[in-house]
Amino acid sequence: MATTDSTAHPYDEAPPEVAQVEVTLHVNGTSHRLRLDARVTLLDALRDHLALTGAKKGCDQGACGACTVLVDGKRVVSCLMLAAQCEGREVTTVESLSEGGAPHPVQAAFARHDAFQCGYCTPGQIMSAVSLLAEGRADSEEDIREFMSGNICRCGAYPNIRAAIREVAAGG
């Protein structure tokens, strides 16, 4: 007669060893040497290891844009990028946009146009707008709408967001 151990459970086994990586992240002009679980996303490295909490964890699936940052000047959703992928690349977060205490022109335009309500999506919206403007893709209302479509605002501040971007694109 076979017996079974009723206390044994598959989840009782120790998890396999998780690979650790050493990575140097260049964030906002400063180098940070970190030892991380190889599966750590750029978003989690920024928030949990570097205390840069501007990028928000919204959907954690790359669909909402709340975690948008720039990597080598291009916008990325940081919840889908591994921190280890950023070795040797320059990461820019919303925390670095102001210069000498003065807001970045996009930040100032967002404030003037009340382009935020709850504010949760605002850092990602601003980072996308900064990139959009740098890419020269703010030629029309349709272009702005299209190229900002990866950033969700649950409060519905889209008209104000687009107005702020148009103002900066026009040199305001």
Side-chain angles (χ1 to χ4, degrees), residues 123-169:
Q125 296 276 0
I126 287 172
M127 294 307 291
S128 276
V130 166
S131 182
L132 166 85
L133 290 159
E135 294 164 6
R137 296 185 173 187
D139 295 328
S140 69
E141 180 77 15
E142 293 77 28
D143 285 346
I144 294 169
R145 183 178 289 122
E146 174 67 25
F147 290 107
M148 291 294 292
S149 66
N151 290 82
I152 306 295
C153 173
R154 288 175 174 83
C155 299
Y158 297 115
N160 302 18
I161 291 168
R162 289 191 304 273
I165 295 168
R166 281 193 314 272
E167 176 187 307
V168 176

Side-chain angles (χ1 to χ4, degrees), residues 9-23:
H9 192 277
Y11 297 122
D12 290 339
E13 297 176 24
E17 188 64 30
V18 176
Q20 297 283 305
V21 294
E22 294 209 11
V23 61

Side-chain angles (χ1 to χ4, degrees), residues 36-171:
L36 305 168
D37 175 326
R39 303 168 294 180
V40 169
T41 64
L42 175 58
L43 175 62
D44 289 336
L46 292 170
R47 292 182 61 80
D48 300 339
H49 298 274
L50 299 179
L52 295 170
T53 57
K56 304 297 186 228
K57 187 176 278 199
C59 67
D60 216 16
Q61 298 176 7
C64 74
C67 66
T68 302
V69 299
L70 305 182
V71 176
D72 292 336
K74 304 287 184 198
R75 55 189 151 166
V76 301
V77 285
S78 59
C79 70
L80 295 183
M81 179 172 249
L82 296 175
Q85 290 176 285
C86 294
E87 180 82 39
R89 301 172 80 183
E90 185 59 39
V91 178
T92 306
T93 70
V94 72
E95 287 89 349
S96 73
L97 290 184
S98 66
E99 291 186 26
H104 184 279
V106 172
Q107 291 171 312
F110 266 59
R112 277 191 301 280
H113 288 274
D114 195 22
F116 47 86
Q117 288 185 21
C118 78
Y120 195 82
C121 73
T122 304
Q125 296 276 0
I126 287 172
M127 294 307 291
S128 276
V130 166
S131 182
L132 166 85
L133 290 159
E135 294 164 6
R137 296 185 173 187
D139 295 328
S140 69
E141 180 77 15
E142 293 77 28
D143 285 346
I144 294 169
R145 183 178 289 122
E146 174 67 25
F147 290 107
M148 291 294 292
S149 66
N151 290 82
I152 306 295
C153 173
R154 288 175 174 83
C155 299
Y158 297 115
N160 302 18
I161 291 168
R162 289 191 304 273
I165 295 168
R166 281 193 314 272
E167 176 187 307
V168 176

